[in-house]
Amino acid sequence: MLVPSSGKTLADSLLRSLSQPPGDLTFLEEPGVATLTRSAFVELVLKQRERLIQTPIRPGTRLFVQAGRGILYWVDLVAVWSVGAVPMPLDPLLSDIQQKILQEKTGTRWLLGGEINATHDGWHGIPALEDHLDNKKTFADLPETEEAEGAILFTSGTTGAPKCVRLSQRALLGNARSTVALLPLHSGDRLFMAIPFHFTSALCHFLAAGLTKATLVCSERRLFQADLAQMVMTSQPTCFGGSPLQVRWLAQTAKECAVPLNWILSSGDHLSKEVLALCHTHLPKTKIFVFYGLTEVGGRFCCQKIEQNHPLKEGVGFPIKQMRVTIRDEQGLLLPAETVGEVYAEGDFLFTEYLQDTQETAKTLTEHGVRTGDSGWLDSQGVLHLQGRLDDVFKSAGKKVSTRIICDALLALGEFADVAVLPVEDALLGMVPWAFIVPNDPSIYSKGRILQQLRRSLPSNHIPKALHMVAALPRTGSGKLDRRRMAEMVQDFSTKNDEAENLPKVLIVSS
């Protein structure tokens, strides 16, 4: 439930919402580490704001905010907004080269919340916030322009170099409000997420909790299935936001013990029918919200609500309020319903530009809105259905092949914890599908049996030309497949097996 606010900016809206009683409600909780009530969070923000005012930081100044250090990261983020500056969430694991690229693109070396050392050579640091304060400040003089720059968010870079996405305060705040309007997030709810805080999806969860009276239970730890299950059970959330892989883990956990969640929000990647079926079976009282989004629209774009006592729905639903979706061909012309093309996002929450990349900005931000790079179609009711990235649909021997169809068929067998399918060059056929699979039980895996089962459900041109068993697939913190690392994996297997057109011996590798 959205708390009424007259605030036009992110800081004003969040602080007004969090300042409403009762102040002793928990706002942020990092399991086993720290907890902040709503009033304590506001006080820490105002203290950090007072400190920032004493620095050369001014309205419009861009500065990196170091993630990977717990919930005080969120305090710093809001404090930066409160002085009218522009935060840029920084991944603490970036290499020196990647950091220098971001410095050059953003034109700043200000760093808040991180230590200045050899890794941050040439940076101007602002000390991290202490945990105590002894005075309360007013925030009546916060900037009031919603069109001001709100943040610069960095894409994951899984398909190339990270892009610096410039978003207005209006885009971020409007996207959050439209998202909250779709979610049953109320006072007393505990929203759990285990996502690195610098990810766009994590920011979406934070803003949703901040604009309501819900508690955000959050962790940046890399959690595997057993760890995630244990943390969810001990922290007792009422709702959950995470990747399709994490949703699968929760459904599998529910086979053994009750997982009392009112609803689950899945985002970051494709939620397969197989995972939805697991949820229907083992989480029958839990609502599922499938969100499709991208950094270039401030986070969320489309939503599909799936009631567990209703038949399984396909697609990712309708656009959130103030956004629209169209399907267009390669020339940008509008396509009719039921016709596959590129998905375009239109509306009020579009990014402004990619910093220092006018060519990519012009290619992506068009007169028809944002080109998402995704392939999809609209049904007769206007529901968006995705077919994957544009390069996930390719031609093999003159026939179209969809990697998503192959992934869904593999997951439907119920034998794999994770799968990925990539198009790989073939001297005879042009491109062929290679499948990378993580079996639930490698000791009973049978390549021949899997291929036999796939031939019953897939056309011949969709049968993987190679099956590679791996220990794990490289994914980002938001659950997306890391395509750069997958390309390295393809190259590694290609080197080990010169005859790519034949099914290779099964190997187990670490990713």
Side-chain angles (χ1 to χ4, degrees), residues 222-291:
R222 181 175 176 80
L223 301 177
F224 295 98
Q225 183 169 354
D227 305 316
L228 179 70
Q230 181 179 11
M231 190 172 287
V232 167
M233 299 306 291
T234 55
S235 60
Q236 298 184 318
T238 60
C239 40
F240 176 90
S243 69
L245 183 59
Q246 291 176 328
V247 175
R248 170 197 288 273
W249 288 347
L250 286 180
Q252 291 173 336
T253 298
K255 290 182 183 179
E256 309 298 331
C257 57
V259 180
L261 292 169
N262 296 330
W263 53 267
I264 287 174
L265 186 159
S266 175
S267 63
D269 206 353
H270 171 56
L271 186 67
S272 69
K273 291 182 188 177
E274 184 262 346
V275 176
L276 281 173
L278 281 176
C279 292
H280 268 60
T281 301
H282 303 294
L283 294 167
K285 296 183 180 180
T286 304
K287 298 182 179 69
I288 306 293
F289 292 88
V290 178
F291 271 87

Side-chain angles (χ1 to χ4, degrees), residues 126-138:
I126 302 172
L129 180 68
E130 296 91 355
D131 293 331
H132 309 287
L133 77 128
D134 40 32
N135 61 332
K136 182 182 286 189
K137 305 295 181 181
T138 178

Side-chain angles (χ1 to χ4, degrees), residues 290-493:
V290 178
F291 271 87
Y292 161 59
L294 55 157
T295 301
E296 286 83 352
V297 300
R300 314 303 188 192
F301 179 30
C302 292
C303 175
Q304 177 83 290
K305 179 182 177 182
I306 301 174
E307 298 282 359
Q308 293 295 68
N309 57 345
H310 288 72
L312 290 177
K313 291 182 179 180
E314 296 185 46
V316 293
F318 300 96
I320 63 175
K321 187 178 180 181
Q322 294 179 256
M323 293 295 290
R324 299 176 299 280
V325 60
T326 58
I327 307 296
R328 298 179 181 275
D329 64 14
E330 295 179 353
Q331 286 73 44
L333 298 177
L334 204 61
L335 293 172
E338 315 287 341
T339 306
V340 175
E342 183 172 3
V343 178
Y344 279 67
E346 303 179 31
D348 296 340
F349 310 142
L350 307 185
F351 79 115
T352 306
E353 65 173 338
Y354 295 125
L355 290 181
Q356 301 297 320
D357 200 338
T358 55
Q359 184 176 356
E360 193 64 26
T361 299
K363 176 183 175 182
T364 305
L365 191 58
T366 74
E367 60 180 323
H368 304 302
V370 172
R371 295 181 62 183
T372 66
D374 290 321
S375 173
W377 52 280
L378 296 173
D379 64 22
S380 57
Q381 282 74 46
V383 173
L384 175 62
H385 298 252
L386 296 177
Q387 288 197 340
R389 300 292 296 172
L390 288 176
D391 55 5
D392 285 340
V393 178
F394 62 96
K395 283 191 175 182
S396 180
K399 295 182 179 180
K400 285 189 176 181
V401 175
S402 168
T403 61
R404 174 165 292 184
I405 290 175
I406 302 173
C407 283
D408 287 347
L410 284 165
L411 288 172
L413 299 179
E415 296 194 24
F416 304 111
D418 203 3
V419 302
V421 177
L422 296 179
V424 178
E425 289 188 16
D426 181 271
L428 181 62
L429 302 176
M431 302 293 286
V432 294
W434 278 20
F436 295 82
I437 52 180
V438 183
N440 293 322
D441 186 350
S443 66
I444 64 172
Y445 168 76
S446 168
K447 177 178 62 180
R449 176 170 49 81
I450 295 302
L451 288 173
Q452 185 178 29
Q453 290 175 306
L454 289 178
R455 290 189 181 102
R456 296 172 185 165
S457 60
L458 292 175
S460 60
N461 64 317
H462 278 65
I463 302 300
K465 195 66 174 177
L467 285 175
H468 294 296
M469 183 165 67
V470 296
L473 293 175
R475 291 189 178 275
T476 68
S478 63
K480 292 182 179 179
L481 196 67
D482 190 327
R483 291 171 180 264
R484 286 192 301 171
R485 291 177 62 193
M486 284 300 304
E488 295 171 0
M489 192 178 290
V490 169
Q491 182 60 41
D492 182 53
F493 275 102

